[in-house]
Amino acid sequence: MRKILFISFCIFVATLSLAQNVKFALTDVISAGEFHDGLSVFRDRESGKYGAINTSGRIQIEPRFDWIEDFIDGSAVVKVGTQYGIINKNGKYLLEPKYDHISAPYKRENIPLYNVEKDALHGLFYKDKLVVPVTKFDETYTNLYPIISYKENGEYRYICLPTGKHLNAGLLFKYENILISKKYEPFGFHYYSEEGNVLDTSSYRKSSKGIYLYKDEKTGLYGLKNSSGAIISQPQYDYSSFFFDIWINDCILYQGDDCAIIIDCNGKAHTTDEKYTYPSMKGGMIQVGNSLYDTNGVALVSKADNILYYEGNWYSVTINGSEKYYNTKLRKFFDTDMLLISEGVAKCRNIP
């Protein structure tokens, strides 16, 4: 349907704009794709080459490439002969076509990060530069975005993509927009911002209700006090079992004997129903295994077949083999076989 609308749009533009010498005619095109980042890739009938038109129907990039991927945040992979490069939205090279292969594995997240390969060596390209030189590495990860992590010679390395700053932080975890390094000798937590800077945690030491952790010097265990200094939870928490010791999204996560525990802003502990599972926190919610909780410990989804964070307030949830999308703000399931999010707007396609 979108392609039919697109063809109708092109006919309309070509008819009305001939006097303006619009460089596009439907008869010149073999195929055209959907618009991504304001451009649609098309194939020229005469040359067989690929170019791109803008939303006005004008040719923005002349058809001179053997292939063009969809644009992501101002850039796209192109193929010239047998080699690959990257161009901007004006068709200028950001990376010359001299590489054996370039892929954009995180296209769905709209992250303009590319794996670049040359002679069996690998690197990472982000926006307009190689942030990791083309050298061999084991794996790359974007679960900490905008911090990118990659494994080289068996060790994790981290780079803040917007700033290019390198972090020497050991193994990092991310809860919402806070990065945490948990070190064991001596034990303690180190916190970083998404820009890779050491985080000042003074404003995170108390919940919105004034609850804070304290250490009992006799036992070495931790309890909770209120803003008046009164004990509201006796020392019972082993410091090494905290996932973090500050209030993130107004809660603290703790590893109990056999399950994760959510300590809410009032200091009340809520036991989750998944055994020995490392929790994550995205979109203001806490995922423990295939269950989803709010920061007050209320179970929103319990023991689904599978739960994946999608984007914003959306989670993909599979229950009894059927995939649905759950909006955490509305606390409502949507029965749809496709969800697309563009500029904060969610588009659902209903199942017939």
Side-chain angles (χ1 to χ4, degrees):
M1 182 64 184
R2 292 183 66 181
K3 289 189 177 180
I4 293 173
L5 293 173
F6 169 70
I7 292 172
S8 300
F9 168 75
C10 291
I11 293 173
F12 174 76
V13 171
T15 302
L16 295 182
S17 305
L18 285 175
Q20 300 177 21
N21 192 30
V22 174
K23 295 178 65 180
F24 180 81
L26 190 62
T27 55
D28 294 335
V29 176
I30 296 176
S31 62
E34 296 181 346
F35 283 95
H36 292 270
D37 203 18
L39 294 178
S40 171
V41 175
F42 73 92
R43 188 181 182 193
D44 180 65
R45 180 180 298 276
E46 181 177 349
S47 65
K49 300 290 186 180
Y50 289 83
I53 62 169
N54 59 29
T55 53
S56 298
R58 297 176 181 272
I59 292 180
Q60 184 153 321
I61 299 175
E62 294 288 343
R64 57 190 175 90
F65 301 101
D66 293 308
W67 179 252
I68 304 178
E69 295 281 352
D70 291 330
F71 278 81
I72 308 171
D73 196 20
S75 61
V77 175
V78 296
K79 185 178 182 182
V80 179
T82 61
Q83 300 293 288
Y84 292 83
I86 298 174
I87 60 172
N88 64 16
K89 293 176 72 172
N90 293 318
K92 295 182 179 180
Y93 284 116
L94 298 173
L95 197 64
E96 293 290 332
K98 60 181 182 180
Y99 296 92
D100 300 333
H101 188 67
I102 299 177
S103 61
Y106 314 113
K107 182 185 295 187
R108 196 189 78 171
E109 294 93 329
N110 201 39
I111 299 174
L113 177 68
Y114 302 93
N115 288 331
V116 181
E117 181 179 347
K118 177 70 173 178
D119 298 331
L121 299 177
H122 301 264
L124 291 173
F125 184 92
Y126 178 70
K127 286 196 173 179
D128 59 356
K129 61 183 177 181
L130 280 167
V131 293
V132 176
V134 182
T135 56
K136 191 173 182 60
F137 60 82
D138 300 321
E139 298 174 89
T140 60
Y141 309 90
T142 59
N143 58 310
L144 303 177
Y145 184 80
I147 303 293
I148 183 71
S149 59
Y150 65 100
K151 206 172 182 180
E152 187 174 32
N153 299 324
E155 293 185 5
Y156 287 97
R157 305 181 189 280
Y158 302 93
I159 298 176
C160 178
L161 292 178
T163 64
K165 184 176 181 177
H166 291 250
L167 279 74
N168 181 21
L171 188 59
L172 278 176
F173 299 92
K174 186 177 182 182
Y175 290 92
E176 293 294 13
N177 61 343
I178 296 177
L179 296 154
I180 304 170
S181 175
K182 191 175 183 180
K183 297 185 178 181
Y184 293 90
E185 293 182 1
F187 184 83
F189 296 95
H190 299 267
Y191 297 95
Y192 302 88
S193 68
E194 289 186 316
E195 292 74 34
N197 300 317
V198 175
L199 186 69
D200 179 3
T201 60
S202 57
S203 62
Y204 296 87
R205 292 297 173 183
K206 292 184 178 181
S207 76
S208 62
K209 304 297 184 181
I211 308 301
Y212 63 93
L213 288 170
Y214 79 95
K215 181 180 179 181
D216 180 69
E217 297 300 334
K218 292 182 179 180
T219 63
L221 298 177
Y222 282 72
L224 295 164
K225 291 183 178 182
N226 62 21
S227 56
S228 299
I231 295 174
I232 63 168
S233 176
Q234 294 294 328
Q236 59 185 295
Y237 300 112
D238 183 346
Y239 189 64
S240 64
S241 293
F242 284 108
F243 290 104
F244 45 84
D245 67 346
I246 60 175
W247 298 88
I248 301 177
N249 276 354
D250 227 11
C251 73
I252 290 177
L253 298 181
Y254 180 82
Q255 180 61 59
D257 292 336
D258 60 358
C259 64
I261 294 174
I262 301 169
I263 303 174
D264 68 22
C265 61
N266 292 304
K268 185 177 179 180
H270 304 268
T271 301
T272 61
D273 59 2
E274 297 270 358
K275 304 293 185 182
Y276 303 108
T277 304
Y278 208 97
S280 62
M281 185 186 289
K282 292 181 179 180
M285 300 293 148
I286 301 164
Q287 182 179 343
V288 185
N290 286 321
S291 296
L292 195 63
Y293 300 83
D294 66 14
T295 55
N296 290 315
V298 176
L300 306 177
V301 179
S302 295
K303 295 186 176 180
D305 299 338
N306 190 43
I307 297 180
L308 291 173
Y309 177 67
Y310 192 79
E311 186 177 339
N313 297 314
W314 292 93
Y315 278 81
S316 168
V317 181
T318 302
I319 301 175
N320 297 326
S322 176
E323 184 182 24
K324 302 179 180 182
Y325 290 92
Y326 185 78
N327 186 283
T328 58
K329 187 174 182 179
L330 299 175
R331 303 204 174 187
K332 178 181 177 181
F333 280 103
F334 288 78
D335 289 317
T336 176
D337 64 342
M338 184 176 71
L339 178 72
L340 297 174
I341 300 177
S342 177
E343 297 180 354
V345 178
K347 301 177 184 178
C348 299
R349 184 174 71 186
N350 290 329
I351 300 174

